[in-house]
Amino acid sequence: MNVLLIGSGGRENALAWKLSQSPLLTKLFIAPGNAGTSTFGENIRLNISTFDEIKLFVLNNHINLVLVGPEQPLVDGIHDFFLSDTDLKNIPVIGPQKAGAMLEGSKDFAKHFMIKHNIPTAKYQSFSKDRLNEGFAFLETLKAPFVLKADGLAAGKGVIILDDLNEAKETLKEMLNGKFGQASSKVVIEEFLKGIELSVFALTDGKSYKILPEAKDYKRIGEGDAGLNTGGMGAVSPVPFADKIFMKKIEDKIIIPTIVGLQKDKINYKGFIFFGLIKVDNEPFVIEYNVRLGDPETEVVVPRIKSDLLELLIHAGKGTLNQSILEIDSRAVSTIMLVSGGYPGEYENGKKISNLNLVIDSLLFHAGTKTENSEIVTNGGRVLAITSYGKTIFDALEKSLKNAKIIEFSGKYFRKDIGFDLK
Ligand code: AMP
Ligand code: GLY
């Protein structure tokens, strides 16, 4: 079968690597992809926000399945677009329709969903501009730190955590006045949860589900989890503190109620659900839902899937996931992200990347790269994910670290302490 994979990051490179190993695959297309994905399929220049362009490509190239990597096309309704088109409606799209994508597209919707279905999450209230004073009053009932979240998608920047009450009030006002544009016309204020975070992923056909390996990502730019938030500087899987008993709690208290909740609310959901969780006193709470796989978590989760991922996706599309088997590799996997100097602030693109051919013992998943005059150059803040297998996450990290030092480009930066808190 022919598959169209939408996206251009390290996540999509890891997915392309895995899908290309499937005996069920005839041809893989990646739109738009990067220099790494072109090893596993054909990159195509498509404007992924123009669904008519996607339609033309899908029909002309006899695409049999579409896998959507990032959230934006899902929130914009790509799946609904396929279902409402007579020529496209029988082509499965992996990724929820708009209604399900609201779990990520609106924090207020997600919080409401969790409370309604009794899924553990931080206490919250939502406010729009006409209720600013009530927002101030709610902040006064909470203890510091104060967590303010833009309701809509804000490119991962919409969460602000502040220690000072007056600053929190000021920030609430700024957010409601358009700090994040339309995305912060509503703001969720919630109780701060103190604990350790992890990411858990499930693939669902709307009825049954498969739990993928869990992962922990490292979002801050600096060592010791200091400095600005990034898209993610590294990840490990498995997560040592997520033992069998804790994972069972996650399944019983969070995953099952989420799937059942979607059914009760008549939200037909086919795709991945990403549970951003925090462990507080040995209990799991949901920090956020995402309606896609995480990045860089995918770069450690997908290499641990032993089964044919394409076969699993086909089952998810057909609604027969209960007939499939998910086998997990018992080895540990870690990834270290090489980023451009200056990231997550301003940085320059177009830096020549060298020594890629000297890498041994690791998989390279490109994130922000492109081919220019037959050379691979940087093309984004996050440039390359260096993924390795090991007996433990620390063995794996050692291999990634060795290769992180070998690969060169001007301004290269990476964290040497991924996994530091798990030792
Ligand atoms: P989000 O975009 O919702 O994942 O939030 C970004 C980050 O903010 C999370 O990964 C957490 O580290 C932190 N965060 C969000 N909500 C809370 C909360 N209620 N308590 C503590 N930390 C939080
Ligand atoms: N690594 C977190 C995310 O993909 O949003």
Side-chain angles (χ1 to χ4, degrees), residues 139 143-150 157-165 167-168 171 175 179-180 188-194 197 219-220 229 278 287:
L139 280 169
K143 279 196 272 206
F146 304 96
V147 183
L148 304 173
K149 300 185 173 185
K157 298 191 172 67
V159 176
I160 300 181
I161 300 177
L162 296 162
D163 285 321
D164 181 80
L165 177 62
E167 242 183 276
T171 303
M175 287 173 83
K179 185 179 172 73
F180 299 102
V188 168
I189 301 178
E190 66 181 40
E191 170 199 25
F192 181 84
L193 297 176
K194 193 166 167 37
E197 288 178 60
K219 290 199 178 81
R220 302 299 192 97
N229 253 326
I278 190 163
I287 291 273

